């Protein structure tokens, strides 16, 4: 399936804008040092990011460390249990869906860390010898915004291209196949899609170069936002309900992903004016969707989720396609399955012959 020419032009244009966005934190650092006259790179202080961080972050450091390790697993299990107890899955969590969600949640916890560890501890020192901690002189907030932009904008593009380039869609399809929303959706991914997360290796490289301390806070905050945006617990509704909170809602929904904006991305239709599975790609920051015109904000929730051509493929096909193929006839994940993409393709209307 060829890529639409107008879409190709938009991708190229937005890609060029992204280069400017990637450069903004660096430009801000240059302006700051020019204004203050500081030259920390000449006499680097070991772990300057830690030294220059606000005191309250130093105090909260153990909390973020625990969140990054076992804390998010505990939080995810607790949130998932609460969702299930509240009946928010509406009896849609069938045996097939349970297997997919559980495998996608647990397997990467064991399979991904060794890959990232090899990349960080073996490959990077080989490719960039002598560059470890070379940017340790960067102050905390400089490193924080540099990583926040680099990590999340890269994931925005990784996510967006898997929707807009037909060949790539099937690697991301598992994340959209469930007919419900919930905490489990945050990690419900094809393993190939997960292991090639481009932002994972970019952030690992920045940590190797000396930005590990700000990365701790960015990755923890991002994980929290992403998890709660997928949750079926609509924490953002009070911001829309009470007039006094409307200004806060206006900023919040344009800055970060909220349940309303991200649920719209998982809707199975755009006919209701709420669903926007061809947009709302932001993970931590919804700001990218605002900048590139791929966002839709309605403050409403879709009534149905998933993909209309879902055939409830086997867990192994959804988790490990194309290594394992589905046996379901006509499935995108089958050996000879069609390359459908993330929108419904209408079936041809049969010719009706009058008697």
């Amino acid at each position: 399936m060829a890529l639409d020419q107008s879409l190709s032009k938009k991708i190229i244009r937005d890609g060029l804008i992204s280069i400017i966005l990637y450069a903004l934190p660096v430009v801000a650092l240059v302006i700051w040092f020019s204004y203050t006259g500081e030259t920390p790179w000449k006499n680097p202080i070991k772990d300057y990011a830690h030294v220059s961080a606000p005191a309250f972050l130093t105090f909260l450091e153990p909390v973020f460390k625990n969140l990054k390790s076992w804390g998010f697993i505990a939080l995810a299990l607790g949130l998932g249990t609460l969702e299930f107890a509240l009946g928010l899955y509406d009896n849609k969590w069938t045996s097939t869906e349970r297997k997919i969600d559980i495998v996608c949640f647990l397997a990467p916890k064991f399979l991904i860390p060794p890959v990232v560890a090899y990349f960080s501890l073996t490959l990077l020192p080989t490719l960039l010898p002598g560059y470890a901690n070379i940017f340790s002189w960067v102050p905390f907030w400089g490193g924080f915004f540099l990583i926040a932009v680099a990590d999340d904008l890269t994931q925005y593009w990784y996510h967006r291209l898997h929707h807009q380039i037909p060949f790539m869609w099937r690697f991301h399809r598992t994340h959209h196949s469930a007919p419900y929303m919930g905490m489990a959706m945050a990690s419900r991914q094809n393993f190939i899609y997960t292991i090639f997360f481009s932002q994972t290796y970019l952030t690992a490289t920045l940590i190797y170069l000396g930005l590990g301390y700000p990365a701790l806070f960015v990755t923890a905050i991002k994980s929290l936002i992403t998890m709660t945006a997928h949750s079926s617990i609509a924490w953002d509704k009070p911001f829309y309900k009470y007039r006094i909170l409307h200004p806060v809602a206006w900023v919040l929904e344009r800055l970060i992903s909220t349940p309303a904006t991200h649920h719209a991305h998982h809707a199975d239709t755009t006919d209701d004016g709420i669903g926007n599975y061809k947009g709302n790609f932001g993970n931590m920051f919804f700001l990218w969707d605002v900048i590139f015109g791929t966002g839709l904000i309605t403050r409403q929730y879709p009534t149905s989720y998933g993909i209309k051509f879902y055939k409830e493929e086997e867990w192994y096909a959804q988790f490990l396609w194309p290594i394992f193929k589905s046996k379901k006839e006509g499935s995108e994940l089958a050996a000879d399955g069609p390359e459908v993409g993330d929108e419904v393709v209408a079936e041809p209307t049969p010719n009706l012959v009058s008697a």
Side-chain angles (χ1 to χ4, degrees), residues 1 9 85 103-104 106 139 141 166 187 237 253 266 277 283 291 348 351:
M1 188 183 295
K9 290 181 179 178
V103 169
C104 289
L106 292 178
W141 287 116
S187 56
K237 281 189 174 180
E253 64 195 356
H266 281 264
Y277 55 75
N283 293 275
I291 291 172
N351 292 323

Side-chain angles (χ1 to χ4, degrees), residues 39 48 51 92 117 181 222 239 351:
T39 55
Y48 183 52
V51 174
K92 294 176 182 177
M181 282 297 286
K222 178 175 180 175
F239 290 94
N351 292 323

Side-chain angles (χ1 to χ4, degrees), residues 182-233:
M183 178 283 305
M185 298 305 297
S187 56
R188 179 177 169 131
Q189 300 279 12
N190 175 291
F191 183 69
I192 308 299
Y193 179 88
T194 302
I195 204 168
F196 283 105
F197 262 165
S198 48
Q199 73 281 358
T200 299
Y201 304 102
L202 174 61
T203 300
T205 302
L206 293 174
I207 291 172
Y208 171 76
L209 295 176
L211 301 179
Y213 191 64
L216 168 68
F217 293 90
V218 173
T219 54
I221 293 170
K222 178 175 180 175
S223 297
L224 186 61
I225 291 173
T226 303
M227 185 187 302
T228 55
H230 284 89
S231 174
S232 55
I233 298 174

Side-chain angles (χ1 to χ4, degrees), residues 19-346:
I19 294 174
I20 298 173
L21 294 174
Y22 278 118
L24 283 179
V26 178
V27 172
L29 276 173
V30 171
I31 294 173
W32 172 256
F33 289 133
S34 298
Y35 174 74
T36 61
E38 296 177 10
T39 55
W41 56 89
K42 292 183 177 179
N43 298 292
I45 299 173
K46 185 179 180 181
D47 201 9
Y48 183 52
H50 205 148
V51 174
S52 60
F56 75 92
L57 289 182
T58 304
F59 176 75
L60 292 174
E61 181 181 344
V63 176
F64 280 83
K65 282 185 175 179
N66 289 332
L67 277 176
K68 189 173 167 54
S69 56
W70 58 267
F72 273 106
I73 296 177
L75 185 61
L77 291 174
L79 188 58
T81 300
L82 178 61
E83 290 175 336
F84 189 80
L86 292 174
L88 298 177
Y89 286 85
D90 294 327
N91 299 318
K92 294 176 182 177
W93 211 33
T94 64
S95 174
T96 298
E97 306 306 334
R98 275 199 305 274
K99 290 176 184 175
I100 296 168
D101 288 345
I102 292 171
V103 169
C104 289
F105 178 74
L106 292 178
K109 303 292 186 292
F110 299 99
L111 300 176
I112 297 295
V115 176
V116 177
Y118 174 79
F119 177 79
S120 301
L121 302 177
T122 303
L123 198 55
L124 281 176
T126 302
L127 296 174
L128 301 171
Y131 285 89
N133 297 315
I134 193 173
F135 292 133
S136 60
W137 53 266
V138 174
F140 176 82
W141 287 116
F144 183 93
F145 287 113
L146 196 155
I147 291 177
V149 171
D151 181 289
D152 202 58
L153 182 54
T154 300
Q155 187 171 1
Y156 166 87
W157 274 108
Y158 188 74
H159 184 191
R160 174 175 165 176
L161 292 177
H162 276 79
H163 278 270
Q164 295 185 329
I165 297 179
F167 166 75
M168 300 177 72
W169 161 246
R170 284 180 283 190
F171 291 101
H172 182 54
R173 179 183 185 273
T174 301
H175 188 60
H176 285 264
S177 61
Y180 50 82
M181 282 297 286
M183 178 283 305
M185 298 305 297
S187 56
R188 179 177 169 131
Q189 300 279 12
N190 175 291
F191 183 69
I192 308 299
Y193 179 88
T194 302
I195 204 168
F196 283 105
F197 262 165
S198 48
Q199 73 281 358
T200 299
Y201 304 102
L202 174 61
T203 300
T205 302
L206 293 174
I207 291 172
Y208 171 76
L209 295 176
L211 301 179
Y213 191 64
L216 168 68
F217 293 90
V218 173
T219 54
I221 293 170
K222 178 175 180 175
S223 297
L224 186 61
I225 291 173
T226 303
M227 185 187 302
T228 55
H230 284 89
S231 174
S232 55
I233 298 174
W235 60 262
D236 54 342
K237 281 189 174 180
F239 290 94
Y240 312 141
K241 181 178 180 180
Y242 301 106
R243 184 177 296 274
I244 194 173
L245 295 177
H246 285 185
V248 178
W250 191 94
V251 174
L252 196 67
E253 64 195 356
R254 284 162 177 78
L255 179 63
I256 67 171
S257 289
T258 63
T261 55
H262 200 71
H263 279 225
H265 176 68
H266 281 264
D268 65 354
T269 181
T270 59
D271 295 340
D272 56 3
I274 299 172
N276 190 33
Y277 55 75
K278 280 289 190 180
N280 290 26
F281 301 121
N283 293 275
M284 175 167 63
F285 292 127
F286 191 78
L287 182 61
W288 313 131
D289 288 291
V290 175
I291 291 172
F292 297 120
T294 55
L296 176 66
I297 298 174
T298 66
R299 298 186 176 182
Q300 300 180 62
Y301 283 74
T303 55
S304 56
Y305 301 96
I307 44 182
K308 288 187 175 179
F309 39 86
Y310 183 42
K311 296 186 181 297
E312 297 187 41
E313 290 87 358
E314 307 87 347
W315 69 267
Y316 55 82
Q318 295 207 52
F319 184 60
L320 283 171
W321 183 91
I323 298 173
F324 294 107
K325 307 290 179 62
S326 174
K327 297 177 182 177
K328 299 291 181 74
E329 185 178 354
S331 166
E332 294 171 281
L333 305 183
D336 299 315
E339 189 179 81
V340 175
D342 68 347
E343 58 183 308
V344 178
V345 176

